[in-house]
Amino acid sequence: MIIILLGPPGAGKGTQAKTLSQRLKIVHISTGDILREAIKTNTSLGQEAAKYVERGELVPDNLVTRMARERLSCDDTKEGFILDGFPRNLAQAESLDEFFNSNGLLDYSVIYLETSENTIIKRLTGRRICKSCQAVYHLINAPSNKQGVCDACGGELYQRPDDSEATIKNRLQVYERLTAPVVAYYSHKGKLLHISADNEADKVIAGILKFLKVNDSCEISL
Ligand code: ADP
Ligand code: ZN
């Protein structure tokens, strides 16, 4: 099963992708996570990408597309995958189509997490992430038990530098200008599920699973 998650920053793509990945037993591929890891470990890709990510701009297509293709060619994608953060503009969508065609991947679903600007700002400014295990918290919606400390591993929580209010504004503009046309692109292909992501995460997941025709309940009939 191949799933592409679209939606503005703060729509909850990462949160939904994580749950879907566990439920459907397919890998979660986030270009944002891969880029942050490359920046942290200071690879040549990371050095090149850092200045764009800090400003909330898109990393150039040639870098990201090569990175995505490489990741999609790993063995763990055989059963399927969830793409989170890619494609982010029309050129990337076309290049993904090419990759799908040349690999005989004809069947995929695109899920668009529709979100209001109000929700986005609240979610992003309150988001905190564990430095060690990358678990995601929110100051109000999903606080850790002890402030600043990860429940899962005891790691230190931090705010993504691009989650500052000024950078969020830029990311939203970039989204409107470059990523929103990708939503229309898949809509024309008749591939799109719209789902309101202003709702709680559980409701959103239930809607997605219903669309994918995956049974959400576990009944034992003994
Ligand atoms: P969000 O969706 O919340 O903005 P991501 O973690 O998906 O966060 O992305 C963070 C940053 O990484 C983006 O602002 C951008 O700089 C870079 N990035 C991620 N995916 C792509 C992509 N497909 N193309 C270009 N840049 C990307
Ligand atoms: Zn942790």
Coordinates of all heavy atoms in Angstrom, one line a residue, residues 9-10 13 31-33 35-36 52-53 56-59 64 84-86 88 92 124 127 160 162 171, ligand 1:
P9 N 2.0 22.7 6.9 CA 2.8 22.4 8.1 C 1.8 22.5 9.3 O 1.0 23.4 9.3 CB 3.8 23.6 8.2 CG 3.6 24.4 7.0 CD 2.6 23.9 6.2
G10 N 1.9 21.6 10.2 CA 1.1 21.6 11.4 C -0.2 20.9 11.2 O -1.1 20.8 12.1
K13 N 0.7 15.7 9.7 CA 1.1 14.6 8.8 C 2.0 13.6 9.6 O 1.8 12.4 9.4 CB 1.9 15.2 7.6 CG 1.1 16.1 6.7 CD 1.9 16.6 5.5 CE 3.1 17.4 5.8 NZ 2.8 18.7 6.4
T31 N 10.5 13.4 4.5 CA 11.7 14.1 4.0 C 12.2 15.1 5.0 O 13.4 15.3 5.1 CB 11.4 14.8 2.6 OG1 10.1 15.5 2.7 CG2 11.3 13.8 1.5
G32 N 11.3 15.7 5.8 CA 11.7 16.7 6.8 C 12.6 16.0 7.9 O 13.6 16.5 8.3
D33 N 12.2 14.7 8.3 CA 13.0 14.0 9.3 C 14.4 13.6 8.7 O 15.4 13.7 9.4 CB 12.3 12.7 9.7 CG 11.1 12.9 10.6 OD1 11.0 14.1 11.1 OD2 10.3 12.0 10.9
L35 N 16.0 15.2 6.4 CA 16.8 16.4 6.3 C 17.3 16.8 7.6 O 18.5 17.2 7.8 CB 16.0 17.5 5.6 CG 15.7 17.4 4.1 CD1 14.7 18.4 3.7 CD2 17.0 17.5 3.3
R36 N 16.5 16.8 8.7 CA 16.9 17.2 10.0 C 18.0 16.3 10.5 O 19.0 16.7 11.1 CB 15.7 17.2 11.0 CG 14.9 18.5 11.0 CD 13.8 18.5 12.0 NE 12.8 17.6 11.8 CZ 11.8 17.8 10.9 NH1 11.7 19.0 10.2 NH2 10.9 16.9 10.7
Y52 N 18.2 26.5 3.9 CA 16.8 26.5 3.5 C 15.8 26.2 4.6 O 14.8 26.9 4.8 CB 16.6 25.6 2.3 CG 17.5 25.9 1.1 CD1 18.7 25.2 0.9 CD2 17.2 26.9 0.2 CE1 19.6 25.5 -0.2 CE2 18.0 27.2 -0.9 CZ 19.2 26.5 -1.0 OH 20.0 26.8 -2.1
V53 N 16.2 25.1 5.3 CA 15.2 24.6 6.3 C 15.1 25.7 7.4 O 14.0 26.0 7.8 CB 15.8 23.3 6.9 CG1 14.9 22.9 8.1 CG2 15.8 22.2 5.9
G56 N 12.7 28.2 6.4 CA 11.4 27.8 6.0 C 11.2 27.7 4.5 O 10.0 27.7 4.0
E57 N 12.3 27.8 3.8 CA 12.2 27.6 2.3 C 12.3 26.2 1.9 O 12.7 25.3 2.7 CB 13.4 28.4 1.7 CG 13.6 29.8 2.1 CD 12.6 30.7 1.4 OE1 12.0 30.3 0.4 OE2 12.5 31.9 1.8
L58 N 11.9 25.9 0.7 CA 12.1 24.5 0.2 C 13.5 24.3 -0.2 O 14.2 25.1 -0.7 CB 11.2 24.2 -1.0 CG 9.7 24.2 -0.8 CD1 9.0 23.6 -2.1 CD2 9.3 23.5 0.4
V59 N 14.0 23.1 0.2 CA 15.4 22.7 -0.2 C 15.3 22.4 -1.7 O 14.3 21.9 -2.2 CB 15.7 21.4 0.6 CG1 17.1 20.8 0.1 CG2 15.8 21.7 2.1
V64 N 16.4 17.2 -3.0 CA 15.4 16.4 -2.3 C 14.9 15.2 -3.1 O 14.6 14.2 -2.6 CB 14.2 17.4 -2.0 CG1 13.0 16.6 -1.4 CG2 14.6 18.5 -1.1
D84 N 5.6 11.5 3.7 CA 5.2 12.6 4.5 C 6.1 13.8 4.2 O 7.3 13.7 4.4 CB 5.2 12.2 6.0 CG 5.4 13.3 7.0 OD1 5.2 14.5 6.6 OD2 5.6 13.0 8.1
G85 N 5.6 14.8 3.5 CA 6.5 16.0 3.2 C 7.0 15.9 1.8 O 7.8 16.8 1.4
F86 N 6.7 14.9 1.0 CA 7.1 14.8 -0.4 C 5.9 14.2 -1.2 O 5.4 13.2 -0.7 CB 8.3 14.0 -0.5 CG 8.9 13.9 -1.9 CD1 9.9 14.8 -2.2 CD2 8.5 13.0 -2.8 CE1 10.5 14.8 -3.5 CE2 9.1 12.9 -4.1 CZ 10.1 13.9 -4.4
R88 N 6.3 18.2 -2.6 CA 6.0 19.5 -2.0 C 5.8 20.6 -3.1 O 5.6 21.8 -2.7 CB 7.1 19.9 -1.1 CG 6.6 20.2 0.3 CD 7.9 20.6 1.1 NE 7.6 21.1 2.4 CZ 7.4 20.4 3.5 NH1 7.6 19.1 3.5 NH2 7.2 21.0 4.7
Q92 N 8.3 18.1 -8.1 CA 8.5 16.9 -7.3 C 7.4 15.9 -7.5 O 7.7 14.7 -7.6 CB 8.6 17.3 -5.8 CG 9.8 18.1 -5.4 CD 9.8 18.4 -3.9 OE1 9.1 17.9 -3.1 NE2 10.7 19.3 -3.5
L124 N 1.9 24.5 15.8 CA 3.3 24.6 15.6 C 4.0 25.4 16.7 O 5.1 25.0 17.1 CB 3.6 25.3 14.2 CG 3.2 24.5 13.0 CD1 3.5 25.2 11.8 CD2 3.8 23.1 13.0
R127 N 4.5 23.1 19.7 CA 5.1 21.8 19.5 C 6.5 21.7 20.1 O 7.3 22.6 20.1 CB 5.3 21.6 17.9 CG 6.0 20.3 17.6 CD 5.7 19.8 16.2 NE 6.3 20.6 15.2 CZ 6.1 20.4 13.9 NH1 5.4 19.4 13.5 NH2 6.7 21.1 12.9
R160 N 11.6 23.1 17.6 CA 12.3 23.1 16.3 C 12.5 24.6 15.9 O 11.6 25.4 16.0 CB 11.4 22.5 15.2 CG 11.8 21.1 14.7 CD 10.8 20.5 13.9 NE 10.5 21.2 12.6 CZ 9.7 20.7 11.7 NH1 9.1 19.6 11.9 NH2 9.4 21.4 10.6
D162 N 12.6 26.1 13.2 CA 11.7 26.6 12.2 C 10.2 26.7 12.7 O 9.3 27.0 12.0 CB 11.8 25.9 10.9 CG 11.5 24.4 11.0 OD1 11.5 23.8 12.1 OD2 11.1 23.8 9.9
R171 N 6.8 29.5 6.1 CA 6.4 28.2 5.6 C 5.0 28.1 5.1 O 4.7 27.4 4.1 CB 6.6 27.2 6.8 CG 8.1 26.8 7.0 CD 8.3 26.3 8.4 NE 7.7 25.1 8.7 CZ 7.4 24.7 10.0 NH1 7.7 25.4 11.0 NH2 6.8 23.5 10.2
Ligands
ADP1 P1 6.4 20.8 8.1 O1 5.5 20.0 7.1 O2 5.8 20.8 9.4 O3 6.7 22.1 7.5 P2 8.7 19.0 7.6 O4 9.4 18.4 8.6 O5 7.9 18.2 6.6 O6 7.8 20.1 8.3 O7 9.7 20.0 6.7 C1 10.6 20.9 7.3 C2 11.4 21.6 6.3 O8 12.2 20.6 5.6 C3 10.7 22.4 5.2 O9 10.3 23.7 5.6 C4 11.7 22.4 4.1 O10 12.7 23.3 4.3 C5 12.4 21.0 4.2 N1 11.7 20.0 3.3 C6 11.0 18.9 3.7 N2 10.5 18.2 2.7 C7 10.9 18.9 1.6 C8 10.7 18.7 0.2 N3 9.9 17.7 -0.3 N4 11.2 19.6 -0.7 C9 11.9 20.7 -0.2 N5 12.1 20.9 1.1 C10 11.6 20.0 2.0

